[in-house]
Amino acid sequence: MSLKVYNTMSREKEEFIPRYAGKVGMYVCGPTVYNYIHIGNGRTYLSFDIIYRYLKYKGYAVTYVRNLTDVDDKIINKANEEGVAPSEVAERYSEAFDEDTTNMRLVRPTIIPKATEHIKEMIEIIEGLIEKGLAYVIDGDVYYEIAKFPEYGKLAHRDLEDMRAGERVEIDPRKHHPMDFAVWKSAKPGEPSWDSPWGKGRPGWHIECSAMSLKYLGVTFDIHGGGRDLIFPHHENEIAQTEGYTGKKFVKYWLHGGMVNIGDEKMAKSLGNIILVRDLLKEYDRNVLRLLALGTQYRSPINFGTDKLKESETAYERLLNVRRRIEDALGAMTVTRMPEKVEQIDRLEGAIDEAKKKFIESMDDDFNTAAALAAVFELVKETNTFIEAYGEMSMHAQDILKKADAMLLELSGAVGLNLTLPGAEEVDKKLPDTIFDLAGDVLGSTDNKGKSELVDEILERRNIARKEKDFATADKIRNGLTQMGIEIEDTPLGSRWKLK
Ligand code: AMP
Ligand code: ZN
């Protein structure tokens, strides 16, 4: 099965073929750091976190870049209101963003570039655009001349004439076309500024993403994402700048997430209808928030309401409950059952395979998380049925149940859910941080996982090593864990661990 993604550029689902086999370059526009993020922003970042994790699950090596816009009108305005330096505002909300995304359990992108650290790269592109006659200078400002880029409007599917007709803002008479946009703005007194060939100034918003994506992902990369409100003008302008500058295709697949609405309105600070991620997470588990996002395919809008949160909370409880029941059933004594309940065993084995197949089919269909989640819940239902129907279990029955549990963890983990039972969180707190080093060493990455989860995976890695008779690795792992006070018990059903 191959992955298909909906490309905003073609308005079609296309087969996903990355530029370099096995590797994906992905750029997602990050926040302008002048405020705490609301759950609309949160949903967009969650959507791309899910996409990132699923690409990794499929075996791609992903370079994920999400920038920080740390110089902008909004930051300057906020700083003026508070009477502090813009850099102070930017720093405060960059940290807050980091906290919020960690608390949401978002994987840290590979690179988090800051706009203010890439001014040189931006100036280089602007100089190139001026040289090519695609940008012009007026009194220290530099504008992009959209009429010189014949493909302008191709992403948003708009043409220049429509734009002129739709123009309502006050037109700057110095501009050649009302929609020409600033790539460089001359400095006003008291604003942060940098030296440039056009005098002191600062970059426009769009040029930041052109410069940082080009620097870290190269001339043509695979996925560029953001919420759909960024299609125009932000992404359209990025295309005009980057393609105008390089003369090459900028992005292979444009992915845009749907909005979170409240009532009939988009959630937006300017409308005063926002709920902050940090406030929501005080009341709801982060898995509940993620389940809410997963319940709707990323391109569709979500009409936010407490009913949706309650549904997600129930869904989360069902997932934890089945794990508790599995744990109980696996902890119970086994019986020698003759004959085995073959029908039930076959049925659960079938359900395990079916869940994985449906999950992958759904995710491969433009990341249809709603259908993928339904496949997981089908397995939950079958597992519950199995436990109820089976009664006392044989070793063999426990084995199948263990497989069901592993599949539940595999599929939910592939989209970032963490089904560690609450008791395990206490254990997590007691496990030393050195577990991250060992995990990095033997697993290659830690991907924001909890410590207990990592110990499980490290043990799984040890089992593989033992099966492959790679005893050097197996011993290294055992020694590493023992040094951390983790005791391993090998049973016929696999290995268990506990803290001494
Ligand atoms: P902004 O800070 O407005 O640039 O938004 C940061 C990210 O959140 C962008 O990818 C936006 O598209 C996205 N975003 C903003 N508002 C919403 C919303 N109500 N629902 C979903 N995504 C949003
Ligand atoms: Zn951007």
Side-chain angles (χ1 to χ4, degrees):
M1 261 300 283
S2 62
L3 173 63
K4 288 206 167 64
V5 301
Y6 181 89
N7 191 347
T8 307
M9 184 65 87
S10 65
R11 300 283 200 266
E12 272 171 14
K13 276 186 202 169
E14 296 175 21
E15 189 178 344
F16 180 70
I17 306 167
R19 182 161 154 81
Y20 303 104
K23 294 194 178 133
V24 177
M26 175 162 109
Y27 187 93
V28 173
C29 296
T32 303
V33 279
Y34 74 107
N35 217 318
Y36 298 120
I37 54 167
H38 59 68
I39 56 173
N41 310 134
R43 187 226 178 164
T44 295
Y45 299 124
L46 248 171
S47 294
F48 287 97
D49 181 75
I50 292 163
I51 288 171
Y52 169 80
R53 287 175 188 266
Y54 185 66
L55 290 169
K56 295 266 288 187
Y57 177 73
K58 283 191 80 79
Y60 289 110
V62 189
T63 305
Y64 176 16
V65 182
R66 191 188 59 212
N67 69 294
L68 290 170
T69 293
D70 59 347
V71 55
D72 185 82
D73 291 342
K74 291 175 188 154
I75 298 172
I76 296 169
N77 291 343
K78 179 106 178 181
N80 289 341
E81 273 167 32
E82 291 187 10
V84 299
S87 58
E88 190 179 321
V89 170
E91 229 162 87
R92 185 195 314 149
Y93 292 104
S94 297
E95 272 171 34
F97 181 71
D98 204 52
E99 271 168 32
D100 287 345
T101 49
T102 302
N103 289 336
M104 283 166 79
R105 200 164 185 267
L106 301 194
V107 173
R108 252 186 115 68
T110 327
I111 304 160
I112 308 180
K114 290 182 176 171
T116 51
E117 289 169 7
H118 296 80
I119 305 290
K120 182 172 84 41
E121 287 85 347
M122 296 177 209
I123 289 177
E124 232 172 82
I125 297 177
I126 298 169
E127 282 183 309
L129 291 174
I130 295 171
E131 248 165 59
K132 289 189 167 187
L134 290 166
Y136 54 93
V137 188
I138 301 174
D139 313 328
D141 293 328
V142 185
Y143 287 98
Y144 191 98
E145 180 150 22
I146 57 168
K148 295 277 176 64
F149 186 72
E151 294 175 60
Y152 192 78
K154 67 178 173 180
L155 181 70
H157 295 215
R158 301 187 189 193
D159 65 42
L160 280 188
E161 285 316 303
D162 291 353
M163 290 177 209
R164 202 183 279 271
E167 187 58 40
R168 259 177 266 124
V169 291
E170 210 174 304
I171 298 166
D172 180 345
R174 302 173 311 156
K175 293 202 286 186
H176 299 180
H177 184 285
M179 296 296 283
D180 286 353
F181 58 90
V183 287
W184 187 263
K185 301 175 179 183
S186 59
K188 298 198 191 85
E191 284 185 0
S193 66
W194 290 263
D195 286 326
S196 82
W198 321 286
K200 278 194 175 302
R202 60 189 167 94
W205 172 33
H206 319 295
I207 198 74
E208 301 178 0
C209 288
S210 282
M212 291 183 275
S213 59
L214 182 63
K215 174 162 182 178
Y216 296 105
L217 297 171
V219 172
T220 305
F221 61 90
D222 302 299
I223 295 177
H224 195 315
R228 58 176 306 119
D229 56 341
L230 296 190
I231 298 174
F232 194 88
H234 184 53
H235 289 163
E236 195 69 60
N237 292 352
E238 282 187 36
I239 295 172
Q241 293 166 157
T242 307
E243 296 193 353
Y245 176 66
T246 65
K248 303 253 168 55
K249 188 186 179 99
F250 174 31
V251 166
K252 287 195 79 175
Y253 306 95
W254 285 94
L255 271 52
H256 290 101
M259 293 293 108
V260 171
N261 300 320
I262 284 207
D264 290 330
E265 279 180 330
K266 171 183 157 183
M267 182 174 287
K269 186 168 185 292
S270 55
L271 296 172
N273 59 0
I274 58 171
I275 298 168
L276 299 180
V277 164
R278 53 181 54 210
D279 289 338
L280 192 93
L281 288 182
K282 280 180 201 146
E283 281 181 56
Y284 294 90
D285 189 279
R286 56 196 177 169
N287 287 288
V288 172
L289 183 58
R290 189 175 284 262
L291 278 161
L292 189 137
L294 288 166
T296 305
Q297 199 259 3
Y298 77 97
R299 280 195 290 124
S300 303
I302 292 183
N303 240 325
F304 183 80
T306 30
D307 50 329
K308 284 249 164 46
L309 272 171
K310 294 288 169 212
E311 271 170 37
S312 304
E313 213 169 29
T314 308
Y316 181 44
E317 262 315 301
R318 273 183 73 202
L319 289 167
L320 289 185
N321 273 338
V322 75
R323 291 222 61 229
R324 281 191 199 103
R325 295 185 76 183
I326 293 170
E327 202 175 69
D328 287 349
L330 291 178
M333 294 283 285
T334 55
V335 294
T336 310
R337 195 184 268 285
M338 295 293 276
E340 295 276 0
K341 293 189 175 176
V342 179
E343 207 177 296
Q344 262 115 13
I345 287 180
D346 284 354
R347 183 166 160 171
L348 185 57
E349 274 196 315
I352 295 169
D353 293 344
E354 188 63 15
K356 180 163 182 166
K357 191 169 143 261
K358 285 236 172 84
F359 178 90
I360 291 176
E361 263 171 27
S362 307
M363 290 300 284
D364 276 353
D365 179 19
D366 192 30
F367 312 105
N368 188 345
T369 49
L373 205 56
V376 172
F377 277 101
E378 190 56 32
L379 180 57
V380 169
K381 193 183 99 198
E382 288 293 332
T383 305
N384 278 324
T385 305
F386 180 82
I387 294 172
E388 278 153 29
Y390 217 94
E392 288 182 304
M393 287 190 197
S394 62
M395 292 263 254
H396 185 49
Q398 280 193 340
D399 253 352
I400 308 299
L401 194 57
K402 228 183 157 196
K403 274 195 201 155
D405 192 38
M407 187 55 72
L408 283 171
L409 290 179
E410 176 182 325
L411 301 182
S412 53
V415 288
L417 289 168
N418 178 3
L419 303 186
T420 309
L421 291 172
E425 271 174 29
E426 293 307 306
V427 179
D428 257 27
K429 285 193 195 122
K430 290 189 196 136
L431 282 166
D433 286 340
T434 43
I435 199 74
F436 292 115
D437 302 329
L438 185 65
D441 196 18
V442 302
L443 303 172
S445 86
T446 56
D447 273 356
N448 250 16
K449 291 192 170 119
K451 292 179 193 169
S452 312
E453 227 178 327
L454 288 172
V455 177
D456 287 344
E457 287 187 20
I458 290 169
L459 265 190
E460 194 52 41
R461 183 70 198 80
R462 173 171 164 270
N463 284 339
I464 294 168
R466 291 207 310 169
K467 271 191 203 133
E468 290 171 351
K469 307 222 180 306
D470 172 7
F471 297 113
T473 304
D475 286 347
K476 187 177 103 186
I477 292 174
R478 177 183 267 277
N479 291 340
L481 291 174
T482 311
Q483 270 171 24
M484 286 177 224
I486 296 167
E487 204 173 300
I488 304 170
E489 185 195 351
D490 293 314
T491 77
L493 282 175
S495 309
R496 296 201 186 109
W497 62 271
K498 61 172 193 242
L499 262 173
K500 259 186 270 183

Short mmCIF file of all heavy atoms in Angstrom, two decimals, residues 263-282:
data_model
loop_
_atom_site.label_atom_id
_atom_site.label_comp_id
_atom_site.label_asym_id
_atom_site.label_seq_id
_atom_site.Cartn_x
_atom_site.Cartn_y
_atom_site.Cartn_z
N GLY A 263 -18.73 27.68 17.31
CA GLY A 263 -19.93 28.14 16.63
C GLY A 263 -19.61 28.20 15.15
O GLY A 263 -19.06 27.25 14.60
N ASP A 264 -19.90 29.32 14.52
CA ASP A 264 -19.62 29.42 13.09
C ASP A 264 -18.33 30.18 12.82
O ASP A 264 -18.01 30.50 11.68
CB ASP A 264 -20.77 30.15 12.36
CG ASP A 264 -21.99 29.27 12.33
OD1 ASP A 264 -21.81 28.04 12.31
OD2 ASP A 264 -23.11 29.81 12.37
N GLU A 265 -17.60 30.49 13.89
CA GLU A 265 -16.41 31.33 13.70
C GLU A 265 -15.13 30.58 13.95
O GLU A 265 -15.07 29.71 14.83
CB GLU A 265 -16.49 32.51 14.66
CG GLU A 265 -17.38 33.62 14.17
CD GLU A 265 -17.41 34.78 15.15
OE1 GLU A 265 -17.27 34.55 16.37
OE2 GLU A 265 -17.59 35.90 14.67
N LYS A 266 -14.12 30.97 13.20
CA LYS A 266 -12.78 30.44 13.42
C LYS A 266 -12.30 30.88 14.81
O LYS A 266 -12.57 31.99 15.23
CB LYS A 266 -11.87 31.03 12.33
CG LYS A 266 -10.40 30.77 12.52
CD LYS A 266 -9.60 31.46 11.42
CE LYS A 266 -8.18 31.67 11.90
NZ LYS A 266 -7.35 32.39 10.94
N MET A 267 -11.62 29.96 15.50
CA MET A 267 -11.04 30.36 16.77
C MET A 267 -9.86 31.29 16.48
O MET A 267 -8.93 30.91 15.77
CB MET A 267 -10.57 29.14 17.57
CG MET A 267 -10.00 29.50 18.92
SD MET A 267 -9.59 28.07 19.96
CE MET A 267 -11.20 27.50 20.45
N ALA A 268 -9.92 32.50 16.96
CA ALA A 268 -8.84 33.46 16.68
C ALA A 268 -8.79 34.48 17.80
O ALA A 268 -9.82 34.87 18.34
CB ALA A 268 -9.10 34.16 15.35
N LYS A 269 -7.58 34.89 18.11
CA LYS A 269 -7.40 35.85 19.19
C LYS A 269 -8.20 37.12 18.93
O LYS A 269 -8.84 37.66 19.82
CB LYS A 269 -5.91 36.17 19.32
CG LYS A 269 -5.62 37.04 20.51
CD LYS A 269 -4.16 37.14 20.80
CE LYS A 269 -3.92 37.92 22.07
NZ LYS A 269 -4.26 39.33 22.00
N SER A 270 -8.18 37.54 17.65
CA SER A 270 -8.85 38.80 17.31
C SER A 270 -10.36 38.71 17.55
O SER A 270 -11.02 39.73 17.72
CB SER A 270 -8.57 39.16 15.86
OG SER A 270 -8.95 38.08 15.03
N LEU A 271 -10.92 37.50 17.56
CA LEU A 271 -12.36 37.35 17.77
C LEU A 271 -12.70 37.12 19.25
O LEU A 271 -13.86 37.05 19.65
CB LEU A 271 -12.92 36.19 16.93
CG LEU A 271 -12.81 36.37 15.41
CD1 LEU A 271 -13.21 35.10 14.68
CD2 LEU A 271 -13.67 37.54 14.94
N GLY A 272 -11.64 36.97 20.04
CA GLY A 272 -11.86 36.83 21.49
C GLY A 272 -12.53 35.52 21.89
O GLY A 272 -13.16 35.43 22.94
N ASN A 273 -12.42 34.48 21.05
CA ASN A 273 -13.09 33.21 21.38
C ASN A 273 -12.09 32.08 21.61
O ASN A 273 -12.38 30.93 21.32
CB ASN A 273 -14.07 32.83 20.25
CG ASN A 273 -13.35 32.67 18.92
OD1 ASN A 273 -12.14 32.84 18.84
ND2 ASN A 273 -14.09 32.32 17.89
N ILE A 274 -10.93 32.44 22.10
CA ILE A 274 -9.89 31.40 22.18
C ILE A 274 -9.90 30.65 23.52
O ILE A 274 -10.30 31.18 24.56
CB ILE A 274 -8.48 31.98 21.95
CG1 ILE A 274 -8.15 33.08 22.96
CG2 ILE A 274 -8.33 32.49 20.53
CD1 ILE A 274 -6.70 33.51 22.90
N ILE A 275 -9.43 29.40 23.45
CA ILE A 275 -9.15 28.61 24.64
C ILE A 275 -7.67 28.24 24.53
O ILE A 275 -7.25 27.69 23.51
CB ILE A 275 -10.01 27.33 24.68
CG1 ILE A 275 -11.49 27.71 24.74
CG2 ILE A 275 -9.61 26.45 25.86
CD1 ILE A 275 -12.41 26.55 24.50
N LEU A 276 -6.91 28.58 25.55
CA LEU A 276 -5.48 28.33 25.49
C LEU A 276 -5.18 26.85 25.72
O LEU A 276 -5.84 26.20 26.54
CB LEU A 276 -4.72 29.15 26.53
CG LEU A 276 -4.83 30.68 26.42
CD1 LEU A 276 -4.01 31.34 27.53
CD2 LEU A 276 -4.33 31.16 25.04
N VAL A 277 -4.17 26.35 25.02
CA VAL A 277 -3.74 24.98 25.21
C VAL A 277 -3.41 24.75 26.69
O VAL A 277 -3.82 23.76 27.30
CB VAL A 277 -2.50 24.67 24.32
CG1 VAL A 277 -1.79 23.42 24.78
CG2 VAL A 277 -2.92 24.55 22.86
N ARG A 278 -2.69 25.71 27.29
CA ARG A 278 -2.27 25.49 28.69
C ARG A 278 -3.45 25.45 29.65
O ARG A 278 -3.40 24.76 30.67
CB ARG A 278 -1.22 26.50 29.13
CG ARG A 278 -1.55 27.96 28.92
CD ARG A 278 -0.38 28.83 29.39
NE ARG A 278 0.87 28.41 28.74
CZ ARG A 278 2.08 28.52 29.30
NH1 ARG A 278 2.21 29.04 30.50
NH2 ARG A 278 3.15 28.14 28.65
N ASP A 279 -4.53 26.18 29.33
CA ASP A 279 -5.72 26.11 30.20
C ASP A 279 -6.43 24.77 30.02
O ASP A 279 -6.86 24.16 30.99
CB ASP A 279 -6.67 27.27 29.88
CG ASP A 279 -6.09 28.59 30.36
OD1 ASP A 279 -5.21 28.55 31.26
OD2 ASP A 279 -6.48 29.64 29.83
N LEU A 280 -6.56 24.34 28.79
CA LEU A 280 -7.24 23.07 28.54
C LEU A 280 -6.51 21.90 29.22
O LEU A 280 -7.13 21.01 29.80
CB LEU A 280 -7.33 22.81 27.03
CG LEU A 280 -8.27 21.66 26.70
CD1 LEU A 280 -9.66 22.18 26.42
CD2 LEU A 280 -7.77 20.84 25.53
N LEU A 281 -5.17 21.96 29.15
CA LEU A 281 -4.39 20.85 29.71
C LEU A 281 -4.41 20.83 31.25
O LEU A 281 -3.97 19.87 31.85
CB LEU A 281 -2.95 20.88 29.19
CG LEU A 281 -2.77 20.49 27.71
CD1 LEU A 281 -1.29 20.52 27.33
CD2 LEU A 281 -3.37 19.12 27.40
N LYS A 282 -4.93 21.90 31.84
CA LYS A 282 -5.09 21.86 33.30
C LYS A 282 -6.25 20.94 33.66
O LYS A 282 -6.31 20.36 34.74
CB LYS A 282 -5.37 23.27 33.84
CG LYS A 282 -4.11 24.11 33.98
CD LYS A 282 -4.43 25.49 34.53
CE LYS A 282 -3.32 26.46 34.19
NZ LYS A 282 -3.80 27.82 33.93
#
